[in-house]
């Protein structure tokens, strides 16, 4: 009897050891969809959410003023003065900006928001205006949870093939859709496919105040290589000041996020929004420890 028990105990310890070993190595996991590590899936709308990192989070109301993240306290003209285009930002500490393009998506974006909230991570969403008009409540929630919204056009066409007036229309329509949905204005632009000529970047910056924000880390997640590949590509390429490209439009990308976000946190990276990262260059703002503080 004792021998049988011993054998069971040995198996138990072996299994436990393997689990701890894989956790400490920061594995990107298998390609099977994973549920959020902290199991705080909450469907929108709900009332109060408790997570290990954020005990007092309250889901915002669907009507009335949109609650704002007090950490996003930047000058109104900050994006206009920082510069015309960026792929990354030279910073002295381990700050990075995670960006998600092409949403909002009715399932993937709320699932991603749950993952970000569970870790108290703030990100930037480059939304497509036509999707904002379809799912305004998701954009509203995104803003209320402290994330930043960037302009990614209204129809996701190639700007390099458009006239100036067509680009102007694309940017205005997306900006207005975001304003209607969440009462905020985008501060930066990511052109669809990253395509924008220097001449276009300059007039867009002068007219809309948008720096063109590209990226320095591209996991090519739109090719759907599988969550573990997306995760390992991001973990191996991210350095301080990185702007990381990904797409909340694709379910496998969102599946990759728990391991990716946890891996980046374990490596000591601190997440800020794109505007916060841009504002750090030249000491424009000091990065506050409160960037990871709970949203009230
Ligand atoms: Ni896009």
């Amino acid at each position: 009897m004792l021998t049988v028990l011993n054998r069971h105990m040995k198996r138990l310890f072996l299994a436990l050891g393997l689990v701890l070993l894989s956790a400490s190595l920061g594995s990107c996991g298998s390609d099977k969809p994973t549920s959020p590590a902290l199991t705080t899936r909450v469907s929108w709308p709900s009332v109060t959410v408790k997570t290990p990192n954020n005990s007092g989070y309250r889901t915002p109301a669907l009507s009335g003023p949109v609650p704002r993240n007090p950490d996003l306290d930047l000058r109104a003209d900050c994006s206009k003065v920082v510069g015309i285009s960026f792929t990354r930002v030279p910073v002295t500490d381990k700050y990075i900006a995670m960006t998600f393009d092409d949403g909002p998506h009715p399932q993937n974006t709320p699932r991603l928001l749950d993952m970000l909230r569970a870790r108290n991570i703030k990100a930037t969403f480059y939304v497509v205006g036509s999707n904002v008009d379809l799912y305004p409540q998701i954009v509203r929630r995104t803003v209320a949870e402290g994330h930043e919204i960037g302009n990614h056009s209204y129809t996701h066409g190639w700007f390099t093939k458009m006239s100036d007036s067509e680009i102007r229309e694309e940017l205005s329509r997306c900006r207005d859709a975001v304003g209607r949905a969440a009462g905020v204005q985008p501060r930066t632009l990511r052109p669809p496919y990253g395509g924008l000529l220097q001449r276009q970047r300059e007039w867009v910056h002068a007219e809309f105040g948008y720096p063109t924000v590209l990226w320095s880390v591209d996991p090519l997640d739109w090719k759907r290589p599988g969550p573990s590949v997306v995760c390992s590509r991001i973990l191996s390429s991210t350095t301080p000041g990185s702007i990381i490209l990904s797409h909340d439009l694709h379910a496998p990308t969102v599946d990759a996020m728990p391991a990716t976000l946890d891996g980046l946190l374990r490596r000591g990276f601190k997440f800020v929004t794109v505007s916060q990262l841009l504002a750090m260059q030249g000491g424009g703002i000091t990065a506050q420890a409160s960037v990871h503080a709970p949203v009230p």
Side-chain angles (χ1 to χ4, degrees):
M1 177 65 192
L2 204 60
T3 327
V4 173
L5 194 67
N6 264 343
R7 204 181 303 143
H8 278 297
M9 292 296 280
K10 269 183 197 163
R11 274 190 203 152
L12 186 69
F13 280 119
L14 184 65
L16 189 66
L18 284 173
V19 167
L20 288 175
L21 181 67
S22 67
S24 70
L25 287 175
S27 156
C28 284
S30 72
D31 283 350
K32 287 180 194 142
T34 51
S35 55
L38 296 174
T39 62
T40 49
R41 283 292 305 281
V42 180
S43 57
W44 168 264
S46 63
V47 187
T48 302
V49 179
K50 287 189 188 302
T51 76
N53 296 330
N54 184 353
S55 59
Y57 182 80
R58 183 167 285 273
T59 301
L62 283 169
S63 57
V66 180
R68 301 291 173 79
N69 176 6
D71 300 329
L72 278 179
D73 188 18
L74 296 172
R75 286 168 50 179
D77 66 343
C78 72
S79 57
K80 186 143 188 166
V81 297
V82 290
I84 292 177
S85 47
F86 294 88
T87 53
R88 63 185 305 282
V89 175
V91 290
T92 50
D93 205 346
K94 297 183 84 172
Y95 288 99
I96 55 172
M98 196 79 210
T99 65
F100 297 98
D101 288 14
D102 299 353
H105 180 279
Q107 283 86 41
N108 297 334
T109 308
R111 196 157 66 91
L112 174 61
L113 288 171
D114 290 346
M115 294 170 184
L116 295 170
R117 181 169 61 190
R119 294 161 178 80
N120 242 321
I121 286 172
K122 304 295 182 277
T124 302
F125 290 76
Y126 283 100
V127 295
V128 174
S130 55
N131 291 337
V132 175
D133 277 341
L134 285 173
Y135 311 109
Q137 75 283 6
I138 299 177
V139 180
R140 189 178 178 82
R141 176 186 167 188
T142 305
V143 170
E145 295 191 2
H147 306 292
E148 180 173 335
I149 304 292
N151 196 322
H152 197 46
S153 83
Y154 194 83
T155 65
H156 208 277
W158 279 96
F159 280 3
T160 49
K161 295 176 185 166
M162 290 184 196
S163 68
D164 289 355
S165 63
E166 285 170 324
I167 293 174
R168 191 173 288 115
E169 171 89 1
E170 287 278 334
L171 296 180
S172 305
R173 287 183 78 192
C174 179
R175 177 197 60 200
D176 295 346
V178 171
R180 279 193 303 275
V184 296
Q185 301 260 326
R187 295 177 190 271
T188 65
L189 161 70
R190 174 166 289 155
Y193 315 104
L196 198 64
L197 306 172
Q198 181 62 24
R199 181 190 69 77
Q200 296 170 322
R201 293 183 195 188
E202 286 170 12
W203 79 252
V204 165
H205 182 255
E207 195 170 313
F208 286 85
Y210 296 155
T212 294
V213 174
L214 302 173
W215 53 84
S216 58
V217 177
D218 182 0
L220 299 173
D221 61 311
W222 56 274
K223 291 186 179 176
R224 297 174 176 259
S228 68
V229 175
V230 171
C231 171
S232 59
R233 283 176 180 168
I234 291 176
L235 292 187
S236 62
S237 310
T238 300
T239 57
S242 285
I243 297 172
I244 302 161
L245 171 69
S246 55
H247 298 80
D248 55 329
L249 194 65
H250 303 310
T253 301
V254 176
D255 293 336
M257 283 305 123
T260 305
L261 299 172
D262 290 341
L264 291 169
L265 286 170
R266 260 198 304 276
R267 285 159 174 74
F269 288 111
K270 295 180 263 193
F271 293 80
V272 289
T273 70
V274 163
S275 285
Q276 287 176 310
L277 192 67
L278 298 190
M280 280 178 197
Q281 63 160 4
I285 61 164
T286 50
Q288 299 155 5
S290 62
V291 288
H292 291 117
V295 180

